[in-house]
């Protein structure tokens, strides 16, 4: 059976537990990722003739396993495994597996490395069999580890990783997907880190392109090389060195090599960017045409290197801090020259706290040399408000990514989000590109109407602002509101009836029915597509086609947030459907049953019954044994009621003065014993009360025991029936259970929740407006005067005098 992605991630992250304590994540990531690399290349390439990766004799993962428990395990891994493997494949900068300062010494080092190797021996981590063609499951696992390493590395050590979500955006907006590509198409990242951004661009096209990257940090450059191999890009060229001081991609004449596409996430505001070079006499002429960056602010140094590295038809994208958009002096001059040259195609403002190593907001500068001469404006986007919280960082959701890409690539003008700004307007602002100058992304303030507070009524403008609802349900507006004084309306129904009126209104009911029918149509044709999946299908292609189809299905539908609907699908894909599709891609439509073994507190495996990963028991019961399940549900409901009554009694009569105070513990044995002690007590009301309470509890206890027995007696034969039914499921049955009952049912519930959001939002807004202006100021003053008079009368009655002038 194929490994599930979630299980792969869990197994790999478990390996980190063996290393935590001796070093931080920025260090132990090197060991885990090298182990992952050795295991992967051994599984995929060992014994394969003419492969792109060479596994020398005696340098495979199997040979590493043979070293477990050896007193010299660290040195042997370095000398017998990593050394030959690195030399044969032109790899370098492998971590030292014999470093006592990080891994310990003696038995500690031996045990740690032995346990680490044992984790990768897991049969589920056989990468020769667990990779669906066209789906880089291992590459995704690498990304998972890198994100977690970056998260744990802290502020100063997480820069080796560009968040995958940002890399996806850059890959999709740089233009490579819409151009004709070939092996001659070149992509370059001058500050490539671990290579994730570079790979994302390469993944955007079916045709392999030439990937090139340079990275200053020695260890990170080694990770990038391994990352290329893990992502099936073994021909990618990664060079190690300082890009600004010593660019290593050069022409035979010694000039900077130019590329079709350049992407980068350089270090923000690098204060040491000029180390090793003389910016005023740069042999590559990067800082002469457009301006010299300031000595301690390197953002434009990297951007100018990108501009110099692009062909005349080249396109690029670079992540930079927002300061590059508005800082003056030398940077202002460079910015003005780049704008006048027409190189800047667009700017995308991103949320703050996305990146590891800094919390400041950043932006993507998109460069396009090809059409620079005819450029009349710059497309600007403020996407800073679209994100979710993920621990102590912010993270772009699938919906945020898709919206950014859609809006940018189609140059859509969305209020408070995006617009094309003419170069003339930018010139009038002294070439300042600060996004708030051009896009007001602030939410409209909810204004208070003083006249309404004084004289009552709901402002007409606030009701009209809900026009998106009235466009769909024009008569609903007149049902909820009646004309009042000029410019104001009155609520036409009782405040408590607002929700009922909306939900039961014919137009609203018709709209909701139309939305259900809309989903049903998508469900029907999607079911046919999903049931046609076969062994060898590509899960990533499946979700891309399915999600885009859902998004287009809801595009332009009034009131419905198409990107919100899309996100529900993507959330379900990540939590459940992705693993299911990988199982189907590997094994087909099989309802395989496995035993559930759970370790007890002594580490011994305990059999907890059986289960099926693809089809949960509940789905089979629901479809084939609904009546039996109904009986069990009724028993469970009765049991829950009885258990709740017992708990309520224990809480009511507990404590030092409670009727159960004589009991050390409230259970059947102690309650029975106590009843014997007090059953013959005469004339004591407290004893009688205690006797009655204990008797009632004991009766409930007997009912609970009987109900539990009845429930268990019903579960056992039902479990046997369900088990038997699994063995007789046809492929058609399995497809129905998985696609209709599991996938599309869950997605449908989430989408219908989006519909509920519509009705709740309208209801809440009408209630807010109603309550806000329900009591005019004069009425409040009258009520205050009335209450004050009552208080004064009460005080007089009590013989007190209230000085109302105070």
């Amino acid at each position: 059976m194929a490994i599930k992605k979630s299980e792969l991630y869990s197994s790999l992250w478990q390996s980190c537990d063996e290393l935590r304590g001796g070093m931080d994540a920025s260090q132990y990531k090197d060991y885990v990722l090298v182990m992952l690399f050795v295991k992967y290349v051994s599984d995929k390439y060992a014994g394969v003739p003419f492969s792109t990766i060479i596994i020398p004799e005696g340098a495979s993962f199997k040979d590493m396993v043979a070293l477990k428990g050896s007193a010299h395990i660290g040195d042997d891994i370095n000398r017998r495994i990593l050394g030959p493997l690195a030399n044969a494949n032109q790899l370098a900068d492998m971590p030292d597996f014999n470093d006592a300062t990080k891994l310990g010494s003696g038995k500690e080092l031996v045990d740690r490395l032995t346990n680490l190797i044992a984790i990768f021996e897991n049969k589920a981590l056989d990468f020769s069999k667990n990779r669906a063609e066209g789906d880089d499951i291992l590459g995704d696992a690498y990304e998972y580890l890198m994100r977690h390493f970056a998260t744990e590395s802290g502020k100063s050590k997480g820069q080796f990783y560009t968040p995958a979500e940002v890399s996806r955006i850059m890959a999709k907006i740089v233009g490579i997907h819409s151009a004709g590509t070939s092996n001659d198409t070149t992509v370059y990242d001058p500050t490539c880190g671990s290579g994730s951004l570079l790979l994302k661009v390469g993944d955007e096209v079916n045709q392999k392109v030439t990937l090139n990257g340079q990275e200053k940090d020695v260890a990170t450059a080694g990770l990038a090389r391994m990352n290329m191999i893990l992502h099936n890009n073994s021909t990618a060229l990664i060079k190690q060195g300082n890009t600004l001081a010593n660019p290593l991609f050069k022409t035979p004449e010694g000039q900077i090599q130019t590329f079709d596409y350049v992407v980068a996430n350089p270090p923000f505001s690098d204060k040491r960017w000029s180390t090793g070079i003389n910016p005023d006499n740069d042999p590559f002429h990067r800082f002469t045409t457009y301006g010299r960056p300031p000595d301690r602010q390197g953002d434009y140094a990297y951007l100018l290197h990108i501009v110099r590295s692009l062909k005349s038809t080249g396109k690029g994208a670079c992540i930079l801090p927002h300061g590059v958009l508005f800082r003056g002096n030398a940077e202002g001059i460079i910015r003005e020259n780049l704008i006048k040259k027409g190189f800047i195609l667009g700017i995308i403002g991103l949320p703050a706290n996305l990146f590891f190593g800094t919390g400041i907001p950043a932006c993507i500068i998109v460069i396009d040399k090809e059409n620079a001469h005819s450029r009349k404006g710059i497309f600007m986007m403020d996407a800073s408000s679209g994100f979710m919280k993920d621990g102590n960082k912010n993270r772009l959701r699938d919906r945020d990514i898709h919206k950014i890409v859609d809006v940018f690539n189609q140059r859509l003008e969305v209020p408070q989000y995006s617009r094309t700004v003419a170069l003339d307007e930018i010139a009038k602002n002294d070439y300042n590109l600060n996004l708030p100058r051009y896009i007001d992304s602030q939410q409209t303030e909810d204004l208070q109407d003083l006249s309404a507070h004084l004289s009552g009524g709901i402002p007409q403008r606030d009701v009209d602002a809900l026009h998106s609802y009235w466009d769909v349900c024009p008569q609903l507006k007149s049902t909820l509101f009646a004309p009042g004084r000029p410019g104001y309306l009155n609520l036409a129904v009782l405040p408590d009836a607002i929700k009922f009126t909306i939900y039961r209104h014919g137009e609203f009911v018709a709209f909701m029915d139309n939305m259900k029918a809309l989903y049903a149509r998508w469900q029907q044709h999607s079911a046919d597509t999903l049931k046609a999946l076969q062994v060898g299908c590509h899960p990533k292609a499946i979700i891309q086609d399915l999600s885009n189809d859902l998004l287009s299905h809801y595009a332009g539908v009034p009131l419905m947030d198409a990107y919100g609907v899309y996100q529900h699908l993507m959330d379900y894909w990540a939590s459940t459907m992705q693993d299911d599709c990988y199982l189907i891609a590997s094994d087909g439509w099989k309802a395989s049953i496995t035993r559930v073994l759970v370790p007890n507190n002594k580490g011994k495996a305990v059999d907890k019954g059986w289960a099926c990963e693809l089809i949960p028991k509940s789905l089979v019961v629901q479809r084939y044994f609904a009546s039996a399940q109904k009986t069990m549900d009724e028993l469970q409901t009765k049991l829950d009621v009885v258990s709740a009554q017992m708990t309520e009694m224990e809480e009511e009569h507990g404590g030092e003065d409670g009727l159960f105070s004589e009991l050390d513990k409230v259970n059947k044995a102690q309650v029975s014993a106590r009843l014997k002690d007090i059953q013959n007590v005469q004339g004591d009301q407290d004893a009688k009360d205690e006797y009655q309470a204990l008797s009632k509890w004991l009766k409930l206890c007997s009912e609970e025991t009987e109900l539990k027995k009845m429930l268990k007696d019903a579960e056992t034969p039902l479990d046997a029936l369900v088990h038997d039914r699994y063995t007789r499921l046809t492929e058609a049955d399995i497809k129905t259970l998985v696609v209709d009952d599991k996938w599309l049912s869950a997605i449908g519930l989430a989408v219908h929740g989006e519909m509920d959001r519509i009705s709740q939002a309208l209801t809440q807004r009408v209630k807010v407006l109603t309550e806000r202006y329900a009591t005019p100021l004069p009425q409040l003053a009258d009520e205050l005067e009335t209450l004050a008079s009552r208080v004064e009368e009460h005080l007089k009655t009590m013989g007190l005098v209230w000085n109302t002038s105070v």
Side-chain angles (χ1 to χ4, degrees), residues 266-420:
F268 287 0
S269 302
D270 185 359
K271 291 180 173 56
R272 295 185 297 274
W273 71 271
S274 61
T275 301
I277 61 173
N278 180 359
D280 295 320
N281 190 27
D282 176 38
F284 306 107
H285 312 293
R286 290 169 292 184
F287 315 122
T288 54
T289 304
Y290 304 106
R292 182 192 187 280
D295 289 335
R296 297 181 62 77
Q297 204 76 265
D299 298 313
Y300 273 105
Y302 290 99
L303 187 59
L304 291 175
H305 176 83
I306 290 172
V307 170
R308 181 68 180 81
S309 301
L310 282 169
K311 294 179 180 179
S312 61
T313 57
K315 298 172 175 61
C318 182
I319 302 169
L320 292 171
H322 267 271
V324 300
L325 302 178
F326 55 80
R327 290 194 298 248
N329 300 319
E331 291 183 307
I333 294 171
I334 297 172
R335 183 171 59 247
E336 179 178 344
N337 288 331
L338 290 175
I339 294 171
K340 286 181 176 179
K341 190 68 175 178
F343 284 163
I344 300 178
L345 168 65
I347 301 168
I348 301 173
L350 298 172
N353 202 28
L354 280 185
F355 296 89
F356 300 95
T358 181
I360 66 173
C363 62
I364 301 173
I365 307 291
V366 186
I367 302 295
D368 177 17
K369 277 191 173 181
E370 183 176 17
N371 302 299
H373 64 281
S374 59
R375 184 148 294 116
K376 302 300 181 182
I378 296 176
F379 189 75
M380 298 187 183
M381 291 177 57
D382 185 348
S384 59
S385 61
F387 63 90
M388 62 174 283
K389 295 295 296 182
D390 185 12
N392 63 350
K393 304 300 290 183
N394 294 332
R395 185 173 179 180
L396 295 170
R397 301 162 294 185
D398 291 286
R399 63 179 296 174
D400 305 317
I401 298 168
H402 212 304
K403 182 177 180 180
I404 290 171
V405 172
D406 288 346
V407 171
F408 187 88
N409 286 340
Q410 298 173 48
R411 306 294 191 270
L412 301 176
E413 300 221 348
V414 180
Q416 298 182 296
Y417 190 76
S418 63
R419 62 179 284 240
T420 296

Side-chain angles (χ1 to χ4, degrees), residues 571-675:
D571 288 342
Y572 184 69
W573 171 261
S575 67
T576 303
M577 195 173 170
Q578 174 180 239
D579 282 338
D580 290 349
C581 283
Y582 273 94
L583 291 176
I584 293 167
S586 176
D587 304 329
W589 296 93
K590 294 181 181 179
S592 303
I593 293 174
T594 57
R595 303 304 302 182
V596 179
L597 301 177
V598 179
N600 59 17
N601 54 10
K602 295 182 179 179
K604 184 178 180 181
V606 178
D607 192 332
K608 293 292 185 179
W610 58 275
C612 176
E613 288 189 63
L614 188 60
I615 307 174
K617 288 183 185 180
S618 58
L619 293 179
V620 174
V621 172
Q622 179 181 321
R623 178 164 283 274
Y624 298 106
F625 306 101
S627 59
Q629 185 62 49
K630 182 179 179 182
T631 300
M632 291 183 60
D633 290 343
E634 291 172 351
L635 287 172
Q636 185 64 54
T637 299
K638 291 179 181 178
L639 176 60
D640 292 342
V641 170
V642 170
S643 298
Q645 289 176 340
M646 292 172 66
T647 301
E648 186 178 346
M649 287 193 68
E650 291 163 17
E651 293 175 351
E652 180 184 356
H653 300 301
E656 295 182 3
D657 299 325
L659 297 176
F660 292 175
S661 60
E662 296 296 326
L663 303 174
D664 294 330
K665 190 175 182 180
V666 182
N667 56 31
K668 184 177 180 180
Q670 291 208 24
V671 170
S672 298
R674 180 61 180 167
L675 282 171

